[in-house]
Structure formats: C-alpha cells, structure tokens
Amino acid sequence: EKKDRMAELIDSNVVIKVYVADVKNSSGDDRIDLNALKMRLEQSLAERMPRKFDFSGSTPKKKFSIVKNVKDADIIINSIIIEYLWTDDDPIDMITGLPGIAYDALTKENYARMQIVFTINNARIGALLWEDTIRSTITDKTMTEEESYGRTEERIIKMFLKELFQRSDKPNA
C-alpha cells in the first residue's frame, strides 16, 4: 500500500530531501495566499522530528530537509486546494441525539472548511508514494473570514503531517 511505502521512507534513518511544489487552487476562492500556504508547509516539514527516535545518536534531529531545486529532492509534495468555504452560519453537524442537534441548530457560529489533495511522488522515478485528501473544519463564534484562511491552513498542515506519519498497521505507529 502507498501509505506503507511512505512509512518505510519516514522510518528510515535518513533525512528526506523534500521539494514542495507551488500550491494549486481549484477552489474558486482567489483570496487564499498560496505562497503563504506553501511557506507554512515547508516550515512545518523542516521542523518535523522523526517518528521514531533512538538514543544511539544515529537518528537525525530533523526528518525533512527542504530543497529549492526539484533535481535535489528525494520526494516531491504537490497540493491542490479543492474546496474553501467560509460562512457566518455554521451548518448543522451530524450529531448523535436530539439535544445535540437542537443545540447545534440554535447556535450561530462562524465556520470555515478547506480540503486539499496532497500527493507525494518519488522525485527520481515519479512513482506515487502517498496520496490523500485532507479536510479541515473550524467553528468559532468570533473568527472572521480574514482570520479563517490562516487558521484553516495551519490546521490542515497539522492534519497532513499526522496522516503522513501514520502507518496503516497502527499498533506500532
């Protein structure tokens, strides 16, 4: 499985050289700062520690090294924003039980949702190593539309890294 191929690479004792391609946007919302999103993704990857750490000193301190030239990369991360939504009227969630549904229907909160398709390819041969659609939602009474962009971006990157570092055989993850 693709997730296992990526997990093997992540579990290796090597620093992975990553090229983050420019973020593409097919959401229809042109207010998303694609450069800022790419920079946040690069920074989060550069700061990421290995999933497994041994105390022998052989494990690198950081798992990823960001490269600016695709020819220097081990992997390429592509991302396409496929949805962005902000509304001042939070949709009713699928909550179990009538009291929860009633509360959600009566509560007015601001809501933001973003979905991004992330793909990771082997930079040398182009083989697909990992692909997933990550969806982030935020509900907050005081969040403005302007604030929602940065908050959804920050959350979706955290969710991406969490998914990336999970194995399909969860017990050892």
Side-chain angles (χ1 to χ4, degrees):
E1 179 176 302
K2 291 181 195 91
K3 194 173 235 184
D4 289 331
R5 281 188 267 159
M6 194 61 209
E8 288 173 20
L9 185 59
I10 284 174
D11 286 343
S12 68
N13 274 349
V14 298
V15 176
I16 303 168
K17 293 181 267 179
V18 179
Y19 176 78
V20 178
D22 290 341
V23 178
K24 293 183 176 37
N25 182 7
S26 66
S27 72
D29 189 330
D30 61 357
R31 295 170 291 177
I32 300 169
D33 187 340
L34 303 177
N35 290 329
L37 180 55
K38 178 182 175 178
M39 286 176 25
R40 277 187 165 155
L41 180 56
E42 288 175 333
Q43 180 181 358
S44 295
L45 287 163
E47 294 171 355
R48 177 63 193 197
M49 302 295 283
R51 177 169 59 187
K52 294 181 178 179
F53 188 82
D54 68 40
F55 294 95
S56 68
S58 64
T59 304
K61 291 183 178 22
K62 302 290 181 186
K63 188 63 207 171
F64 301 105
S65 172
I66 305 303
V67 297
K68 297 300 180 187
N69 187 332
V70 71
K71 293 179 182 177
D72 298 328
D74 298 318
I75 63 173
I76 301 167
I77 298 178
N78 289 288
S79 50
I80 302 170
I81 302 168
I82 58 171
E83 179 190 36
Y84 184 81
L85 170 72
W86 184 89
T87 179
D88 62 356
D89 190 15
D90 172 29
I92 296 173
D93 296 319
M94 296 185 60
I95 299 173
T96 305
L98 196 53
I101 293 171
Y103 174 80
D104 196 33
L106 295 171
T107 305
K108 184 169 173 29
E109 294 183 305
N110 300 334
Y111 174 85
R113 179 174 65 222
M114 178 181 277
Q115 288 190 79
I116 300 179
V117 176
F118 289 96
T119 58
I120 300 177
N121 294 81
N122 179 309
R124 308 251 185 292
I125 61 173
L128 181 64
L129 298 173
W130 190 88
E131 180 176 24
D132 205 351
T133 300
I134 308 294
R135 178 180 176 186
S136 167
T137 60
I138 298 176
T139 305
D140 185 324
K141 287 182 182 181
T142 62
M143 174 180 60
T144 65
E145 185 174 10
E146 190 64 35
E147 292 171 330
S148 70
Y149 291 100
R151 289 183 62 188
T152 53
E153 291 167 6
E154 183 178 315
R155 183 158 183 207
I156 210 161
I157 290 169
K158 286 180 183 177
M159 294 171 72
F160 164 70
L161 287 172
K162 180 182 174 192
E163 287 297 316
L164 182 63
F165 274 73
Q166 283 183 344
R167 291 185 71 109
S168 61
D169 58 354
K170 304 228 188 221
N172 295 328

